[in-house]
Amino acid sequence: MGDDPEPRELPLRVASFGPRRRDAPRPAVTAFRWLLHSFSAKRTWTASANLVVNLVVGAGFALATALALLVTLATAWVVGVGTMVRGGALFLSAHMSRFDRRRVERLGGVRIAAPSSPEPGAGASLRERQVAWGRATWLWPLSAYQLARLPAAGAAAFVAVGWWWATIACFVVASQPSGPVQIVGWDVGPMSLGAAGVAGLVVTGVAGVLAWPALVRMAMKLDAALAMHLLGPSRSGQLAAEVSRLSEARALAVTSAEAERRRIERDLHDGLQPQLVSLALDLGLAKARIETDPGAARAMVERAHEEAKQAARDLRKLVRGIHPSVLDERGIDAALSALIASCPVPVSVALDLPRRPEATREAAAYFVVAEAITNVTRHAGARRASVTIAERSGALHVAVVDDGRGGARQDPGGGLAGLAARVASLDGTFSLSSPVGGPTRIEAVIPCEP
Amino acid sequence: MRAVIADDSVLLREGITRLLAEGGIEVVAGVGDAEALLVAVEAHEPDLAIVDVRMPPRHREEGLRAAIEIRRRWPKVALLVLSQFVEERYASELLAAETSGVGYLLKDRVADVAEFLDVVERVAAGGSAIDSEVVRQILARTHRTDPLARLSPRETEVLALMAEGHSNGSIADRLFVSSGAVEKHVSNIFMKLDLPPDDKRHQRRVMAVVRYLNS
């Protein structure tokens, strides 16, 4: 079930026990705050609720799983039916497990990634689906969880009930130090306790109440650990996911390099080549006429001169567009000067880089800005644009915003798509927001550290 | 006048040699890398060195470093740095110490023979010449930063031409205004850039350009 947006495990949320400043006024006050906080913390109550939910749901799910497994075993020998039934059973436990993953996340604050889905294509028949599910061996731990969880939830509930029973008993007995005492079905009989005994019971009872948050949180942690173990992706599953992510990144890198080569080829073919041919043509004509019509020849030479200069300008622009050498030598700040000078609208630049990023990442950031500025120049109809580049929490954040008419799209094979691929090949993210009417915002986040 | 040329392209070296010959400038040595350039300058003590930024062995910024080195060791040698691309950062570094007798131009400019010879003369005579492309880059960067923001568009234009090393007369010709008008713009620029009037005219001019480049 790939419906979890972030297949990533978050660490257990550590409960924060009130303010822990060093200049805390008095230990007693601190302890009181600590207690108050541990009782008022939402986690304590969600964890308490989990005890109940887990028991009820666990009983139902365990029953369903046990039945499904029995039917699976019973039909295992029937050719054709066995696989389908097994698929159905595993499908069922997959869905129950999804519920449990959500339960652990909502009540325990622990996010568990789902193992990747074996879903066949959208057009597959029910039978094909069931066969695919039946072959998915990674589903077995999910069934194991559904069976193992009931005893665990039961034990936790038993301890919790016993805890409260004992705690209440302490107070009840202490309130009636002499005389017959009956506590929830247990006839204690006549007792006679001294003052020390009463005090001891009261202290034990208070301690029982106070320790409740810690106890219930521990139960939640154990529950989450079990779920993490059996409901999360296996080690090999995680590695497989990593491998597919890396091959995708590599394919993107190749694609973006390929697109870049095509763009250069197109620029040379459409721009420079005809310019040089036209230049040679004009010079050829001038040569032919230089004796018969020196005036016309002179005009042609003049035109050829202009054409040659234009070709040199265009070639310079093209070469700098491929990779400005100043980027390697002096970094992105220096390289941006020529870029923003080429933009007809005013561009403000804000850089916050404590150090120079690694070369490939710096270049990717530069080209994000370059492409964005090209778009501003060509399409945006903007009055101003701004570029911000900052390094924050181990990533380069690049944003280019213009106040133009918006409506920019990421066409396949276009410059923006190439950029998105380039950024993605570095494990980064690229986003374009350009509603019709503007503003257009191009953003890239490129991680700097492994 | 005697000049040394450093450029790893033989084609360009010969082209520039022919060009300079046109303007009556003798090329005493043509070399292909930065090391050879320093040797040649030491041997010939020319009036002018024309240096390409990118040269062997690494094809990065050897020429720029050599130019700064020449400025340090032989301050009398005028420098004209040529480059396939101009970058304001390099211009600021090159002009950080001194702007007299220094030029920084796009290589393309050699195609305009008369103008290029004009620049060579100006730089050799102790003037400065900054490519208009560099000026454009600096302008784009300093769009809304003071004190340059205080300049009117016309004054900015005049300052840009000053940065390129033009005299008031030459600026007047280019902007189709009287030289009196240019003088007025120039004194406004000095005032707006807080350049004290007791400086010598030339000094203030250079200061304005440096202010412009370093902002």
Side-chain angles (χ1 to χ4, degrees), chain A residues 384-397:
Chain A
R384 66 176 63 87
S386 74
V387 174
T388 49
I389 301 171
E391 194 190 322
R392 282 197 307 272
S393 45
L396 267 181
H397 294 251

Side-chain angles (χ1 to χ4, degrees), chain A residues 305 309 312-313 316 319-320 325-326 328-330 333-334 337-338 340-341 346 348-349, chain B residues 54 60-61 64 84-85 87-90 93 106 108 111-112 136-137 140-141 143-144:
Chain A
H305 186 212
K309 287 195 288 184
R313 269 197 292 279
R316 184 173 72 234
V319 173
R320 198 185 188 281
S325 57
V326 70
D328 295 332
E329 306 292 335
R330 294 289 186 279
D333 188 14
S337 293
I340 60 179
S348 69
V349 180
Chain B
R54 254 162 93 143
R60 299 188 94 163
E61 45 173 60
L64 190 73
Q84 187 63 58
F85 311 101
E87 305 285 353
E88 56 86 17
R89 194 59 57 92
Y90 291 162
E93 286 170 22
L106 269 176
D108 299 14
D112 290 311
R136 222 158 58 85
Q137 291 178 17
R141 282 222 85 133
H143 234 98
R144 278 175 293 256

Side-chain angles (χ1 to χ4, degrees), chain A residues 143-160:
Chain A
S143 298
Y145 175 79
Q146 295 305 341
L147 295 177
R149 186 261 311 272
L150 182 59
F158 183 77
V159 170

Side-chain angles (χ1 to χ4, degrees), chain A residues 92-182:
Chain A
L92 182 71
S93 67
H95 276 270
M96 293 188 298
S97 302
R98 184 164 65 174
F99 177 88
D100 280 312
R101 256 183 238 112
R102 284 187 182 162
R103 174 181 58 79
V104 171
E105 188 184 336
R106 297 256 166 84
L107 299 178
V110 178
R111 171 166 273 173
I112 299 167
S116 51
S117 166
E119 282 281 8
S125 70
L126 180 65
R127 206 193 120 68
E128 281 167 340
R129 277 166 199 272
Q130 279 171 331
V131 170
W133 280 96
R135 289 211 184 104
T137 51
W138 58 267
L139 284 162
W140 291 112
L142 304 189
S143 298
Y145 175 79
Q146 295 305 341
L147 295 177
R149 186 261 311 272
L150 182 59
F158 183 77
V159 170
V161 169
W163 186 273
W164 278 116
W165 187 86
T167 305
I168 292 165
C170 284
F171 291 120
V172 173
V173 173
S175 68
Q176 296 161 314
S178 58
V181 180
Q182 215 182 11

Side-chain angles (χ1 to χ4, degrees), chain A residues 29-387:
Chain A
V29 174
T30 315
F32 180 71
R33 280 202 186 138
W34 182 86
L35 275 173
L36 203 67
H37 194 82
S38 71
F39 272 96
S40 64
K42 197 177 152 219
R43 283 277 161 252
T44 303
W45 302 108
T46 56
S48 303
N50 185 55
L51 283 173
V52 181
V53 174
N54 204 16
L55 188 65
V56 174
V57 170
F61 281 8
L63 189 68
T65 307
L67 279 175
L69 289 179
L70 277 178
V71 175
T72 306
L73 278 178
T75 57
W77 316 109
V78 187
V79 176
V81 177
T83 323
M84 279 175 67
V85 171
R86 193 171 67 198
L90 290 170
F91 182 75
L92 182 71
S93 67
H95 276 270
M96 293 188 298
S97 302
R98 184 164 65 174
F99 177 88
D100 280 312
R101 256 183 238 112
R102 284 187 182 162
R103 174 181 58 79
V104 171
E105 188 184 336
R106 297 256 166 84
L107 299 178
V110 178
R111 171 166 273 173
I112 299 167
S116 51
S117 166
E119 282 281 8
S125 70
L126 180 65
R127 206 193 120 68
E128 281 167 340
R129 277 166 199 272
Q130 279 171 331
V131 170
W133 280 96
R135 289 211 184 104
T137 51
W138 58 267
L139 284 162
W140 291 112
L142 304 189
S143 298
Y145 175 79
Q146 295 305 341
L147 295 177
R149 186 261 311 272
L150 182 59
F158 183 77
V159 170
V161 169
W163 186 273
W164 278 116
W165 187 86
T167 305
I168 292 165
C170 284
F171 291 120
V172 173
V173 173
S175 68
Q176 296 161 314
S178 58
V181 180
Q182 215 182 11
I183 309 157
V184 210
W186 179 43
D187 195 357
V188 180
M191 297 193 50
S192 76
L193 286 170
V198 171
L201 279 176
V202 169
V203 168
T204 312
V206 170
V209 172
L210 295 185
W212 174 253
L215 179 84
V216 79
R217 278 158 195 254
M218 202 170 74
M220 185 75 242
K221 277 186 191 175
L222 289 173
D223 181 30
L226 181 69
M228 180 88 86
H229 215 74
L230 291 172
L231 297 185
S234 62
R235 182 88 188 109
S236 64
Q238 283 173 352
L239 287 175
E242 181 67 11
V243 166
S244 77
R245 197 185 57 73
L246 285 176
S247 5
E248 201 174 311
R250 192 186 53 180
L252 282 172
V254 173
T255 312
S256 74
E258 198 68 50
E260 182 69 6
R261 260 202 296 280
R262 266 200 294 276
R263 190 183 65 78
I264 293 166
E265 187 268 344
R266 207 165 49 228
D267 284 352
L268 287 173
H269 181 266
D270 298 350
L272 201 58
Q273 210 168 12
Q275 273 177 325
L276 289 179
V277 171
S278 159
L279 167 64
L281 178 78
D282 275 338
L283 285 176
L285 284 174
K287 198 170 102 185
R289 292 203 190 168
I290 200 151
E291 301 288 341
T292 55
D293 190 355
R298 187 189 162 79
M300 275 164 195
V301 168
E302 251 164 40
R303 213 168 85 190
H305 186 212
E306 288 308 319
E307 281 170 346
K309 287 195 288 184
Q310 185 60 44
R313 269 197 292 279
D314 290 353
L315 180 61
R316 184 173 72 234
K317 228 168 107 186
L318 173 66
V319 173
R320 198 185 188 281
I322 295 170
H323 192 98
S325 57
V326 70
L327 181 61
D328 295 332
E329 306 292 335
R330 294 289 186 279
I332 193 163
D333 188 14
L336 285 177
S337 293
L339 195 63
I340 60 179
S342 71
C343 187
V345 304
V347 183
S348 69
V349 180
L351 278 114
D352 182 12
L353 296 173
R355 63 206 153 110
R356 267 191 75 178
E358 186 262 324
T360 34
R361 282 149 223 282
E362 186 177 48
Y366 172 81
F367 283 105
V368 168
V369 178
E371 183 65 32
I373 293 292
T374 307
N375 280 347
V376 170
T377 308
R378 279 193 197 148
H379 317 293
R383 273 169 302 135
R384 66 176 63 87
S386 74
V387 174

